[in-house]
Amino acid sequence: MGSAQIWPPISDEDLKRELEATKAAELEWLLDELQVTLGSLKSGLEECVALLAPQGPGSTLAMSSVRSESVKGFVTRMIMIIAYTNIFEDIALRLATLAPPRSLPTYPMHIQNPLSIPQLTTLLTLLNQSLDIIDISTWTGDARDGSFIGGQLRLLADSIDEARLTLKGGEELPGGKWWDPREDDDVSIIDAALVLWVRTLFAANEDNTSISGLSLRQRLGLAPKLPEHDEVDKIFSFKGQEVRVREKVKIESQDPALMAVMAKLSALGHAVAVARNNLSTVMEVDAKIGR
């Protein structure tokens, strides 16, 4: 292997001083570049907020049950400035345990009152929080302090990641796994899609094989067996009565706006991770310090 030497030679103290000056210059340049990066991140977050802003009369989205024709309909998403709400309308139910009215092929469900989705309210709060972190990093704090900017980038990374996970949803969120009648959790967001759960109930002291509420074909044993679900053995307290879930259907509606927001948040999170890694390399510290 070859080697290199400085000519004319300099003392160890001068070499150390030059190295420190070089590192300081690199840090100064990087901090200036990070201000540009923060500006780009702010624009991306503002685009996310704009995608959730009210647009005319609202967005009408098609809804259907997963791998079945049990439910078909439309949903109008109206995102308000103060509270995010959704109005479901024109939903037709074709459930084995819910007989439709006479002369109708399906059971109509028409909900006029808005249904709020707390996840969307949380999402807006996190987006505004992320914008505040950027404003503090740019205007309030010391933009030349590497430790300060590193701490702000850590906060920004946490806020953006939490916003992304809010859109992703899951079993740990309301409506994600099992029903809780005490919560308004029949509508939620999972993987950036609106999800509505429809359940038919029966008294807990009633045999699930009871013919009450079933169609003639089911009473005669000619209809297909009811599909199994994860709440079949659970007892819930609903309106002062213990009940079981006889049938449970999941309805989904892909929302282009929410899908776009989730994609943008993933890209923004990656950009913040790159910025943190660059800063930690120049400062020779662990990017995860302070977590």
Side-chain angles (χ1 to χ4, degrees), residues 178-230:
W178 291 316
W179 182 40
D180 185 352
R182 298 169 299 177
E183 302 289 340
D184 184 15
D185 61 0
D186 289 326
V187 185
S188 62
I189 296 176
I190 299 178
D191 291 330
L194 292 176
V195 175
L196 170 67
W197 292 98
V198 175
R199 297 173 175 86
T200 58
L201 310 177
F202 68 102
N205 57 5
E206 178 186 339
D207 188 355
N208 193 25
T209 60
S210 170
I211 64 174
S212 60
L214 301 183
S215 66
L216 178 60
R217 294 181 69 241
Q218 290 168 326
R219 297 178 188 183
L220 298 177
L222 301 177
K225 183 180 179 181
L226 294 178
E228 297 289 336
H229 55 81
D230 59 355

Side-chain angles (χ1 to χ4, degrees), residues 241-286:
Q241 182 181 5
E242 289 190 341
V243 297
R244 294 180 185 269
V245 177
R246 174 167 283 160
E247 189 173 1
K248 176 181 177 182
V249 178
K250 179 182 180 182
I251 316 168
E252 292 185 359
S253 176
Q254 298 294 331
D255 190 329
L258 297 182
M259 294 171 66
V261 171
M262 190 168 185
K264 286 180 178 294
L265 288 176
S266 297
L268 292 172
H270 176 71
V272 174
V274 172
R276 294 185 66 198
N277 183 68
N278 292 341
L279 183 59
S280 64
T281 300
V282 172
M283 296 183 65
E284 298 181 346
V285 297
D286 187 349

Side-chain angles (χ1 to χ4, degrees), residues 37-256:
T37 300
L38 288 172
S40 298
L41 293 171
K42 182 176 181 179
S43 298
L45 289 168
E46 289 174 340
E47 291 175 2
C48 292
V49 174
L51 284 168
L52 298 176
Q55 297 180 358
S59 301
T60 300
L61 309 170
M63 297 199 78
S64 63
S65 50
V66 182
R67 295 185 295 275
S68 74
E69 296 294 324
S70 299
V71 183
K72 292 290 183 181
F74 298 92
V75 55
T76 301
R77 175 173 57 81
M78 301 179 63
I79 302 183
M80 306 299 193
I81 296 178
I82 298 178
Y84 289 117
T85 60
N86 286 262
I87 298 177
F88 289 85
E89 55 186 359
D90 298 329
I91 293 181
L93 305 178
R94 192 191 300 271
L95 304 178
T97 58
L98 185 63
R102 184 171 297 180
S103 76
L104 291 181
T106 59
Y107 191 98
M109 183 174 71
H110 197 82
I111 303 177
Q112 293 285 355
N113 297 327
L115 303 174
S116 85
I117 301 180
Q119 284 170 261
L120 289 177
T121 305
T122 301
L123 175 61
L124 179 63
T125 300
L126 291 169
L127 291 176
N128 288 328
Q129 176 180 293
S130 300
L131 289 170
D132 290 341
I133 292 173
I134 292 178
D135 287 340
I136 292 174
S137 304
T138 304
W139 305 108
T140 305
D142 186 358
R144 296 289 182 175
D145 186 343
S147 298
F148 169 73
I149 295 298
Q152 291 298 104
L153 288 175
R154 176 179 59 80
L155 293 175
L156 184 59
D158 291 343
S159 183
I160 290 177
D161 189 55
E162 188 175 351
R164 183 184 61 82
L165 292 176
T166 298
L167 268 182
K168 183 173 180 60
E171 295 183 352
E172 70 280 1
L173 294 174
K177 189 171 184 180
W178 291 316
W179 182 40
D180 185 352
R182 298 169 299 177
E183 302 289 340
D184 184 15
D185 61 0
D186 289 326
V187 185
S188 62
I189 296 176
I190 299 178
D191 291 330
L194 292 176
V195 175
L196 170 67
W197 292 98
V198 175
R199 297 173 175 86
T200 58
L201 310 177
F202 68 102
N205 57 5
E206 178 186 339
D207 188 355
N208 193 25
T209 60
S210 170
I211 64 174
S212 60
L214 301 183
S215 66
L216 178 60
R217 294 181 69 241
Q218 290 168 326
R219 297 178 188 183
L220 298 177
L222 301 177
K225 183 180 179 181
L226 294 178
E228 297 289 336
H229 55 81
D230 59 355
E231 296 176 347
V232 66
D233 295 324
K234 295 186 175 296
I235 297 178
F236 303 96
S237 178
F238 181 68
K239 294 184 177 180
Q241 182 181 5
E242 289 190 341
V243 297
R244 294 180 185 269
V245 177
R246 174 167 283 160
E247 189 173 1
K248 176 181 177 182
V249 178
K250 179 182 180 182
I251 316 168
E252 292 185 359
S253 176
Q254 298 294 331
D255 190 329

